Amino acid sequence: MTIPLKKIVLRKLNMRLKDPFVTSFGTTQDKEFFVIEVYDGEGNCGYGESVAFAQPWYTEETVKTTQHMLEDFLIPILRGSSVNHPDDVSKAFQSIRRNNMAKAAIEGAIWDLYAKRENTSLSKALGGEKQEIEVGISIGIQPTMKELIERIEDALQIGYKRIKLKIKPGADIEVLREVRSYFPNTAIMADANSAYSLEDINHLKKLDDLNLMMIEQPLAHDDIIEHAKLQKEINTPICLDESIHSVEDVRRAYELGSCKIINIKIGRVGGLTEAKRIHDFCQEHQMEVWCGGMLEAGIGRAHNIALTTLPQFVLPGDTAGSGNYWEKDIITPEVIVKKGMIEVPNKPGIGYEINEKVLNEFTEWKKEITM
Ligand code: OSB
Ligand code: MG
């Protein structure tokens, strides 16, 4: 049965993170993004959240390109399509190259709407099984070792199942070595966000002494081949993040041996349908996966939680609790982490209510688009 797409509301939000988030590519504190509401005219509304940053330093997309794609291409395509299942959305978008984060934002809203119409949770609509998920935390580069150790101690207090530390040239092996000496038995991994090249191979080999769960995206954002060369030389498992935009990218990485682990981000791969395809490929080929994060507010966080209930998400993801990022979140209840676990909501759709007061407070403008 066709899902009626009667009206879309595009909201531009601006929310300030509690603390600036520092990576090898730059610092983020003000998070600009879109909330997309899709109405069926029968009393249901699906919610999506866009994840592209204001600057094109993680991928090529930005807040402005997201708006351009949504208004000038993606929404017009939906106006002329009949959507029977959310899987139809990515098919309808096939004529548009990449712009995966823009596609994912609106596809996510339609997945939520679909689940609500089916009176089932987004988790179950995706085929998820878990009632609770294990989560880790991603800690940005800190000004001092003292602050880093404190951040890790706070995270361990909350029970996060693994600690991810951002590294960059000049703030890497020595930092990790010191952290390891403070926390000999903690599950630790590092994320380089593409800051190294194969010329650094002898330097990167030193990671092997640190008993890390993995090193995430050490080499170029668009590389598959050099990661395979590096993986042959180091024992630390490589996890690819920036290099993966589709199940085809995962197949190439698998066949070349470029990594052992895949970080799935819904936005980077163009939506939940493609994320599920990647999950299924990895399950079949025994590659471990986990759900990455883009400093999302509550709606994006809820989508990540639902995705993580699929069985091959065997490693803790970056979906930390709302309070790790925000003074107040746009959903209610906020996402709470207890003993490193998040309880999966079983209400229809994303399973959280929208906190309209907070949503309106952070909305810079909104537009109603009649379909
Ligand atoms: O590389 O995973 C990344 C944040 C922004 C951009 C890229 C990355 C990250 C994170 C934080 O690591 C994940 C999160 O807590 O949402
Ligand atoms: Mg990463």
Side-chain angles (χ1 to χ4, degrees), residues 25 58 164 166 189 191-193 216-217 240-242 263 265 268 290 293 318:
F25 59 64
Y58 169 76
K164 165 166 138 182
K166 293 287 187 179
M189 59 172 288
D191 186 357
N193 287 109
E216 185 177 343
Q217 196 74 33
L240 287 180
D241 173 354
E242 283 89 331
N263 166 337
K265 289 186 187 172
R268 170 165 42 68
W290 55 277
D318 273 347

Coordinates of all heavy atoms in Angstrom, one line a residue, residues 25 58 164 166 189 191-193 216-217 240-242 263 265 268 290 293 318, ligand 2:
F25 N 40.6 16.7 11.9 CA 40.2 17.6 10.8 C 39.7 19.0 11.3 O 39.4 19.8 10.5 CB 39.3 16.9 9.8 CG 38.0 16.4 10.4 CD1 37.0 17.2 10.9 CD2 37.7 15.0 10.4 CE1 35.8 16.7 11.4 CE2 36.5 14.5 10.9 CZ 35.6 15.4 11.4
Y58 N 34.5 16.3 6.8 CA 34.3 14.9 7.1 C 34.0 14.2 5.8 O 34.6 13.2 5.4 CB 33.3 14.6 8.2 CG 33.0 13.2 8.3 CD1 33.8 12.3 8.9 CD2 31.8 12.7 7.8 CE1 33.5 10.9 9.0 CE2 31.4 11.4 7.9 CZ 32.3 10.5 8.5 OH 32.0 9.2 8.6
K164 N 36.6 5.5 22.7 CA 37.3 5.8 21.5 C 38.0 7.1 21.7 O 37.4 8.1 22.1 CB 36.3 5.8 20.4 CG 36.8 6.5 19.1 CD 35.8 6.2 17.9 CE 35.5 7.4 17.1 NZ 34.5 7.1 16.0
K166 N 40.3 10.2 19.8 CA 40.7 10.8 18.6 C 42.2 11.0 18.7 O 42.7 11.5 19.7 CB 39.9 12.1 18.4 CG 38.5 12.0 18.2 CD 38.2 11.4 16.8 CE 36.7 11.4 16.6 NZ 36.4 10.9 15.2
M189 N 40.0 2.2 21.7 CA 40.3 2.2 20.2 C 40.7 3.7 19.9 O 40.5 4.6 20.7 CB 39.1 1.8 19.4 CG 37.9 2.6 19.6 SD 36.5 2.2 18.5 CE 37.2 2.9 16.9
D191 N 40.8 6.8 16.7 CA 40.2 7.2 15.4 C 41.1 8.3 14.9 O 41.2 9.4 15.5 CB 38.8 7.7 15.6 CG 38.1 8.0 14.2 OD1 38.7 7.9 13.2 OD2 36.9 8.4 14.3
A192 N 41.7 8.1 13.7 CA 42.6 9.1 13.1 C 42.0 10.0 12.1 O 42.6 11.0 11.7 CB 43.8 8.4 12.4
N193 N 40.7 9.7 11.7 CA 40.0 10.6 10.7 C 40.9 10.9 9.5 O 41.1 12.1 9.2 CB 39.4 11.8 11.3 CG 38.2 11.5 12.2 OD1 38.3 11.6 13.4 ND2 37.1 11.1 11.6
E216 N 40.7 3.3 13.6 CA 39.7 3.7 12.7 C 40.3 4.7 11.7 O 40.9 5.7 12.1 CB 38.5 4.3 13.5 CG 37.3 4.7 12.7 CD 36.2 5.3 13.5 OE1 36.2 5.1 14.7 OE2 35.3 5.9 13.0
Q217 N 40.0 4.4 10.4 CA 40.4 5.3 9.3 C 41.7 6.0 9.4 O 41.8 7.2 9.5 CB 39.3 6.3 9.1 CG 39.3 7.0 7.7 CD 38.9 6.1 6.5 OE1 38.0 5.3 6.7 NE2 39.5 6.3 5.4
L240 N 37.1 0.8 8.8 CA 36.9 1.9 7.9 C 35.7 2.7 8.2 O 34.6 2.1 8.6 CB 36.9 1.4 6.5 CG 38.2 0.9 5.9 CD1 38.0 0.4 4.4 CD2 39.3 2.0 5.9
D241 N 35.8 4.0 8.1 CA 34.7 4.9 8.4 C 34.5 5.7 7.1 O 33.8 5.4 6.2 CB 35.1 5.8 9.6 CG 34.1 6.9 9.8 OD1 33.2 7.2 9.0 OD2 34.2 7.7 10.9
E242 N 35.3 6.8 6.9 CA 35.2 7.7 5.7 C 35.2 7.0 4.4 O 34.6 7.5 3.4 CB 36.3 8.8 5.7 CG 36.1 9.9 6.8 CD 36.7 9.6 8.1 OE1 36.8 8.4 8.5 OE2 37.1 10.6 8.8
N263 N 32.6 0.6 10.3 CA 31.8 1.6 11.0 C 30.6 2.0 10.1 O 30.9 2.6 9.0 CB 32.7 2.8 11.4 CG 31.9 4.0 11.9 OD1 30.7 4.2 11.5 ND2 32.5 4.9 12.6
K265 N 27.6 4.4 9.3 CA 26.9 5.6 9.6 C 25.7 5.8 8.6 O 26.0 5.8 7.4 CB 27.8 6.9 9.6 CG 28.8 6.9 10.7 CD 29.6 8.2 10.7 CE 30.7 8.2 11.7 NZ 31.6 9.4 11.6
R268 N 26.3 8.6 6.1 CA 27.4 8.4 5.1 C 27.0 7.5 4.0 O 27.5 7.6 2.9 CB 28.7 8.0 5.8 CG 29.8 7.5 5.0 CD 31.1 7.5 5.6 NE 31.1 6.9 7.0 CZ 30.9 5.6 7.3 NH1 30.5 4.7 6.4 NH2 30.9 5.2 8.6
W290 N 29.8 -1.9 13.7 CA 29.3 -1.1 14.8 C 28.7 0.2 14.2 O 29.0 0.6 13.1 CB 30.3 -0.8 15.9 CG 31.6 -0.2 15.5 CD1 32.7 -0.8 15.0 CD2 32.0 1.2 15.6 NE1 33.7 0.0 14.8 CE2 33.3 1.3 15.1 CE3 31.3 2.4 16.0 CZ2 34.0 2.5 15.1 CZ3 32.0 3.6 15.9 CH2 33.4 3.6 15.5
G293 N 28.7 7.6 14.9 CA 27.9 8.8 15.3 C 28.4 10.0 14.5 O 29.5 10.1 14.1
D318 N 29.1 4.4 18.8 CA 29.4 5.7 19.3 C 28.1 6.4 19.8 O 28.2 7.7 20.0 CB 30.0 6.6 18.2 CG 31.6 6.4 18.1 OD1 32.1 5.8 19.1 OD2 32.2 6.8 17.1
Ligands
MG2 MG 35.5 8.0 12.5

